[in-house]
Amino acid sequence: EKNIIPICFAIDDAYTPFLAVALQSLIDNASKEYNYCIKVLHTNVKEEHMKQIKKYENEYVNIEFVDLNYYLEKNGKNALVNEGSRMITHNELEKESNKFANYIIREGIRKSERVVIMMDLHIDTITVVFGVIKTGAIYVPIDKTQSKENVEKILFEVTPTLIICNDIYLEKFEGAKCKKIIIKDGLSEYLKESDKLPNVNIISNDLLYIAFTSGTTGLPKGVMVSHRAVMTFVEAVTQNEKFHNK
């Protein structure tokens, strides 16, 4: 039996023409030694565009559409993260991250702006990261072990609009000339906004985050990662049957 090679695309309506070109190129150069299963990840692709993409199917190429909203509805009440006596479900993370996103949008954060985050690994950190993502902003995680000197270098490189940190790390951002949100006793004061998903046009080619190296051998170096790259990675990981069974 022929091997099956999974190929993942994360798309939106703006990139349907790009995907069409990619599919045509794939089919033109496809080896008859393999079957190709192409999974298209989406949240709201129009029916007409689905039909345009499905026409590229043939005996060697199978195209499937994966609606990410379906998985949220299916697993919404399941526990996502446990932290001691505290637990958060998929639905709760969705709503709380929407609230945080709407809060920082009201505070002036806009798409493609950089938001620096230095927080301990807690449930609140997950909420903050997803909230920033939903604004279309680019989050920049900085490890708490970075020296103040390296933090200053990173801030100079990314020119953030907002810094979000636990109060114990505030001294590392002393002198930074941008807005700051200091997380001291949880997120309750920041979760009073609407729990509806912000209306932000985010496309798969937009930057998701910038990760910096430790800088132990010189200046910290940033690596830019797009939404498309992360979605492709996540889909590839979930192809593992053991992962699905857990």
Side-chain angles (χ1 to χ4, degrees):
E1 189 170 304
K2 295 182 179 180
N3 294 322
I4 297 179
I5 301 176
I7 301 173
C8 306
F9 292 90
I11 72 165
D12 45 69
D13 286 343
Y15 273 75
T16 300
F18 164 81
L19 180 57
V21 172
L23 287 172
Q24 189 62 60
S25 176
L26 170 64
I27 291 170
D28 290 343
N29 295 282
S31 168
K32 301 299 187 291
E33 297 298 316
Y34 301 100
N35 287 338
Y36 296 86
C37 178
I38 299 174
K39 292 198 172 185
V40 181
L41 311 181
H42 71 96
T43 55
N44 190 27
V45 174
K46 295 178 181 177
E47 185 70 26
E48 60 190 271
H49 290 153
M50 287 187 181
K51 291 179 180 177
Q52 292 173 6
I53 293 170
K54 288 286 283 184
K55 72 180 182 181
Y56 290 95
E57 284 187 320
N58 59 32
E59 60 179 311
Y60 300 105
V61 178
N62 178 56
I63 300 174
E64 299 177 7
F65 289 87
V66 179
D67 187 347
L68 301 180
N69 288 324
Y70 165 78
Y71 290 99
L72 179 60
E73 293 174 5
K74 179 181 178 182
N75 301 306
K77 295 181 180 179
N78 294 347
L80 178 63
V81 180
N82 284 299
E83 181 188 325
S85 60
R86 187 182 177 192
M87 181 268 291
I88 190 169
T89 67
H90 292 261
N91 279 341
E92 288 168 342
L93 175 62
E94 175 70 8
K95 291 181 179 180
E96 290 191 6
S97 60
N98 286 347
K99 290 178 180 179
F100 190 77
N102 286 316
Y103 171 78
I104 61 177
I105 286 174
R106 186 167 63 81
E107 290 295 302
I109 297 302
R110 297 293 179 262
K111 179 180 176 180
S112 298
E113 293 180 339
R114 271 75 65 198
V115 177
V116 164
I117 300 175
M118 182 183 286
M119 296 177 64
D120 291 322
L121 295 179
H122 296 303
I123 287 176
D124 286 344
T125 309
I126 300 172
T127 301
V128 166
V129 169
F130 274 85
V132 172
I133 290 171
K134 290 175 179 181
T135 69
I138 303 162
Y139 81 90
V140 184
I142 300 182
D143 192 279
K144 60 186 179 182
T145 62
Q146 286 277 20
S147 67
K148 188 174 187 300
E149 181 183 7
N150 278 349
V151 169
E152 290 173 351
K153 292 175 181 176
I154 293 172
L155 296 181
F156 177 79
E157 289 293 325
V158 301
T159 58
T161 305
L162 175 66
I163 293 170
I164 305 173
C165 68
N166 294 122
D167 58 332
I168 57 175
Y169 305 126
L170 182 58
E171 63 179 302
K172 293 199 175 188
F173 300 101
E174 186 180 358
K177 297 180 180 179
C178 64
K179 286 187 177 181
K180 300 180 184 72
I181 293 178
I182 314 303
I183 309 299
K184 184 177 182 180
D185 298 313
L187 295 176
S188 58
E189 65 178 294
Y190 307 112
L191 301 181
K192 299 176 182 178
E193 304 290 329
S194 167
D195 64 4
K196 301 300 182 183
L197 180 68
N199 183 21
V200 181
N201 182 29
I202 302 172
I203 62 176
S204 57
N205 209 37
D206 287 336
L207 284 184
L208 175 60
Y209 68 91
I210 304 173
F212 279 84
T213 60
S214 63
T216 53
T217 59
L219 289 173
K221 298 177 177 62
V223 178
M224 298 183 290
V225 181
S226 69
H227 286 261
R228 177 185 298 158
V230 172
M231 290 304 302
T232 301
F233 171 76
V234 170
E235 177 63 17
V237 169
T238 56
Q239 294 303 308
N240 186 307
E241 187 62 29
K242 292 181 181 179
F243 182 89
H244 278 297
N245 287 338
K246 289 185 177 180

